Amino acid sequence: MEKEKQLKSIREYVKNIFQDDATGHDYFHMKRVAKVAKLIAEKENADSFVTEAAGLLHDVGDHKLFNNPSAVLDEMYLFLKSIHVQDDDIEKIKIAMKDVSFSKGNVPVTLEGKIVQDADRIDAIGAIGIARTFAFGGAKGQLIYHDAHNESTSIQHFHDKLLKLKELIHTTTAKKMANERHAFMEAFLKEFHREW
Ligand code: ADP
Ligand code: NI
């Protein structure tokens, strides 16, 4: 029960931080990642509280999104302490969050970290992934597609990153979800080019 209350506070905290984001890192991304991460954690026998909390918090202090990441993270640790999350759980959350981002190219060390990374990747593919890609592209002012070159378009991003993600998934549970979402993206791209 205590942990349920803490998760509720963490949700509020994350909502305040990300509510105005227009680059695909909005609060609902955090909510979806946490939900998928929790589901995977239950199937893979990982620590469900740590995984869900780290899923909610995984983009806090991301260097792309914050000017002063270490100050943002220090504030987050103080917040977790203030709602009485145990020190060893804070430590586990910290470790699970550390290596999540694709751009850093790191493999998380703990099962909980691997699961949060899987959930973040799951949210980058499939129908949601397609929507986020064009939202991000729009926010950056980039073209949907260009048929003469393949630089910096949202369609190119599928080839640069999204179609590669399914091979980088760690857990069996997430792999199944990733395969379905991958197939959906391939069908989308096929139809996109047919209509183009
Ligand atoms: P993460 O922080 O999880 O590593 P990113 O910040 O790279 O992810 O991406 C956030 C969202 O924006 C994802 O859905 C991703 O596919 C999309 N995105 C990132 N870079 C591009 C790009 N160059 N063009 C279109 N979408 C992008
Ligand atoms: Ni994310």
Side-chain angles (χ1 to χ4, degrees), residues 25 29 58-59 120 132:
H25 296 94
H29 166 61
H58 78 277
D59 277 330
D120 196 31
R132 289 180 73 212

Side-chain angles (χ1 to χ4, degrees), residues 24-25 29-30 33 55 58-59 62 64-65 100-101 116 119-121 123 132:
H25 296 94
H29 166 61
M30 313 308 155
V33 169
H58 78 277
D59 277 330
D62 186 308
K64 292 190 300 295
L65 309 171
V100 168
S101 176
V116 175
D120 196 31
R121 286 171 170 168
D123 207 58
R132 289 180 73 212

